[in-house]
Amino acid sequence: MYSVMMVDDDYPVLEYLSASIPWKELRLEVHSMCKNGAVALERAQASLPDIVITDIGMPQMDGIELIGELKRLKPDIRCVILSCMGDFAYAQQAVRMQVDDYVLKETMRPEQIASLLRKLSDQIAAGEEQTRQLARMQSKKEENALLFRQGLLERMTADGGRDLSWAEGAADAGIDFEGKVWLPVLVAMNRWSELSRRMPDERAVQISLGQAAAGLAYELPGTVLLPHGRREAMLLFPFRRSLTEMKVESVRPFLRGLGERLSQASGICATFLIGISAAAPAALGRAAEQLLSSGAGRFYLPDEGVFTLAELPVTVEGDLHALYPEALQRIRDAFLEEDEALLERTIRDWLDQVREKRCRPELVKEWTLKILYDNQMRFLALQHYQSIFSMEVLHRTLGDIGTLQELGDWMLQFFKERMPLLGLIYKQSRRSEILRAQQYVSHNIGSKITLEEVADMLHINSSYFSRLFKRETGYNFIQYVTTAKMERAKELLARSNMSVEEVAARLGYENKSYFAKLFKKHIGGTPGEYRGD
């Protein structure tokens, strides 16, 4: 539905038009009725109409001046002059301003105005459809260009860069080797889960990157952008072979500027990794393939910045097995205490240890997933927590995380978002004494815990506490403590390389045989059988 502004200092004319035009039938609505051009311009600046019908001679601002101002605000606005002036000079001015029609008031009829408005509405609709068609054509053109360039990069890096068939069509993308050396730079877009919420169309992300990178073509003529998948791209910078300046240092400021444009325009966090320059197709293919295979090292780089291959961290085939039990317990305790500051420090400590180890990203994500999963299982064992997330969704989210920095921020946010749940969980019991007792057990799971010491901590009679705990939870207190310890034992046996003796000692059992007996009673098998020894 299009809107119509009517402007005339003769108010009966406005009332007449408002009452006599079949607005709904024409699928039009009255934008406003204004007594002069100055009032109309003020209304239009707040909200532009699609069509304006205006008188010419009005105080403060006449119709010709109003149309000129409206055309500056909206060049395609449709304008009709409605006047009692038959002077040819006004008609000439109207023609020069591309006014759509000029109607004399003394000959004006409602059906004439309605017919004119219908014609203008049809013209606006036709113009909009033409704009949509052009946009679709442009979008298709850009999509085809993206597919061609993406396919070119895939062929360039195929077979370790040894397949040179791609070079035949490279000129169509602006890549030639006559007197040139090409410097490849990988663009890695990080924090993908956040970005995909803002820009769910993956193609739009690559188009945004292309638009932001277009400025480089003016600053560094001949620059080529080749997309790779949904979150990477390759920039190729051309240099003359005779150029003696340092190529790497010359592109750094341009890459920093591109990173700022991406961040400001689209909220994209990008890491730039500068590769090895190449003067021949085979060398460029190998250099590009080396950059694309740098994902493991890039995991340990910041979310944003410009780096070279020499600055790329080297990952190792290590393990995080020994770090896991302590990290799990500390993160769990900080979460249970609802201490955000402690939780953040604990997660950062875990990540610092991970950074020092420099293990493969897949392994880091696997152990992080175990921490989240084991935390859930612990709450289920304590009857405090119901599953509120899908392991499949978690696994997919972790897979999209590109850097250790992003992993830490996401992990902290994951726990923070769930902290309010603890308050609800704690309110499920009618007695604060029971909640404090359960928290005490969780925090002291590695010690020998007696009913008397917990009752003393709560400053209540031990017999009364025993009856109260049974009534509130359905568990005998000692059974509750033993169950919690056995669940913790399962975690240690499954997730660490501790011996059975070490697990027993970790949980406050001095006698290995007694621990094994309790474990079998609760779990249905010995610790060795559970572990699969």
Side-chain angles (χ1 to χ4, degrees), residues 236-285:
L236 301 177
F237 294 96
F239 292 88
R240 293 193 304 276
R241 292 190 185 185
S242 59
L243 202 60
T244 57
E245 67 174 309
M246 290 294 293
K247 304 178 187 65
V248 170
E249 294 309 314
S250 68
V251 300
R252 279 186 187 271
F254 296 106
L255 293 174
R256 284 193 289 268
L258 175 57
E260 291 172 4
R261 287 197 292 272
L262 286 171
S263 178
Q264 293 169 2
S266 307
I268 295 175
C269 296
T271 297
F272 300 93
L273 186 62
I274 302 174
I276 300 171
S277 58
L284 183 58

Side-chain angles (χ1 to χ4, degrees), residues 6 15 82 85 147 194 239 275 286 342 437 479 516:
M6 294 180 289
E15 289 185 318
L82 186 63
M85 300 180 183
L147 290 173
E194 298 174 17
F239 292 88
R286 289 193 299 272
L342 177 60
Q479 287 179 325

Side-chain angles (χ1 to χ4, degrees), residues 170-187:
D172 293 336
I175 305 173
D176 69 85
F177 293 88
E178 180 121 16
K180 290 180 183 177
V181 173
W182 290 92
L183 180 67
V185 177
L186 181 67
V187 185

Side-chain angles (χ1 to χ4, degrees), residues 189-202 204-205 208 262-270 304:
M189 290 172 280
N190 300 313
R191 297 189 178 270
W192 183 258
S193 60
E194 298 174 17
L195 181 60
S196 59
R197 283 195 293 271
R198 295 193 303 272
M199 303 176 70
D201 183 354
E202 295 176 2
V205 178
S208 296
L262 286 171
S263 178
Q264 293 169 2
S266 307
I268 295 175
C269 296
E304 297 180 284

